[in-house]
Amino acid sequence: MYEYITGLVTIVTPQYVVVEAGGVGYQLLVANPYRYQVDETQRVRIYVYQAVRDDSITLFGFVDQAEKRLFLQLINVSGIGPKSALAILANPDHQGLIDAIANNNVGYLTKFPGIGKKTASQIVLDLKDKIADQATGSLLTADQPTAASTNPALDDALAALSALGYREREIKKIKKQLLESEATTTDEYLRQALRLIN
């Protein structure tokens, strides 16, 4: 399973982008391809979800971990497939989506393509409790793709904290201290983070 791909955007189409990494061009279906630009000097990091079906393998791309997490929550709702979830995420106001789910605003959800009242109600039912921590206005939706980080060891440590179940606000609270630390490897950052967060 891929977590992210770091490389150069070489093709942008209305449906997908192609990122070249290690001599391979990866076709990634993304919510808004025109958020990206062909630029063979600026490496970008795109988070990835791999969908495997009997007749196809598809890679979906996300500008950051928050967008990917929201996508994963949406595809766990009955009646929402990966392409439907991506269509929902094409609206840049992800915080508005989260707040609508938290506030039982079914009308807001039915504005998305292919989402009727029944599916919108199912989204609220399945996700309301799961997105409670994000419905605070703290989610940042990036308008531009994330440039390749200058500190991948720290990024990997923060991703590990998220995988361990720590909340985004807890991780953000200690990030500045980690940036100022003398740690250089992922393990060192992770050990220090666990001391700070507990």
Side-chain angles (χ1 to χ4, degrees), residues 109-171:
L109 299 175
T110 58
K111 294 177 182 177
F112 294 107
I115 304 298
K117 197 168 183 179
K118 182 178 178 182
T119 304
S121 298
Q122 191 67 47
I123 291 172
V124 170
L125 181 67
D126 289 357
L127 298 185
K128 184 174 181 181
D129 292 337
K130 295 178 182 177
I131 56 91
D133 287 337
Q134 299 171 49
T136 59
S138 63
L139 181 72
L140 298 178
T141 302
D143 290 324
Q144 297 296 328
T146 306
S149 172
T150 56
N151 194 339
L154 175 57
D155 289 344
D156 290 342
L158 297 177
L161 287 173
S162 182
L164 289 169
Y166 289 100
R167 295 174 178 170
E168 192 172 345
R169 62 187 179 200
E170 294 177 298
I171 296 171

Side-chain angles (χ1 to χ4, degrees), residues 36-55:
Y36 301 88
Q37 294 181 340
V38 174
D39 185 344
E40 300 199 6
T41 63
Q42 178 65 58
R43 291 165 63 83
V44 298
R45 172 174 291 178
I46 302 181
Y47 289 83
V48 173
Y49 170 78
Q50 180 179 354
V52 180
R53 299 178 61 181
D54 291 340
D55 58 349

Side-chain angles (χ1 to χ4, degrees), residues 74-136:
L74 286 168
I75 64 173
N76 281 322
V77 175
S78 176
I80 301 287
K83 290 188 178 179
S84 295
L86 206 64
I88 292 172
L89 294 177
N91 182 338
D93 183 17
H94 295 171
Q95 191 62 54
L97 169 65
I98 288 169
D99 292 341
I101 295 170
N103 296 316
N104 295 314
N105 188 348
V106 172
Y108 181 95
L109 299 175
T110 58
K111 294 177 182 177
F112 294 107
I115 304 298
K117 197 168 183 179
K118 182 178 178 182
T119 304
S121 298
Q122 191 67 47
I123 291 172
V124 170
L125 181 67
D126 289 357
L127 298 185
K128 184 174 181 181
D129 292 337
K130 295 178 182 177
I131 56 91
D133 287 337
Q134 299 171 49
T136 59

Side-chain angles (χ1 to χ4, degrees), residues 63-86:
V63 74
D64 56 24
Q65 288 177 304
E67 186 178 61
K68 180 179 177 179
R69 185 163 53 248
L70 191 51
F71 172 87
L72 293 175
Q73 290 170 331
L74 286 168
I75 64 173
N76 281 322
V77 175
S78 176
I80 301 287
K83 290 188 178 179
S84 295
L86 206 64

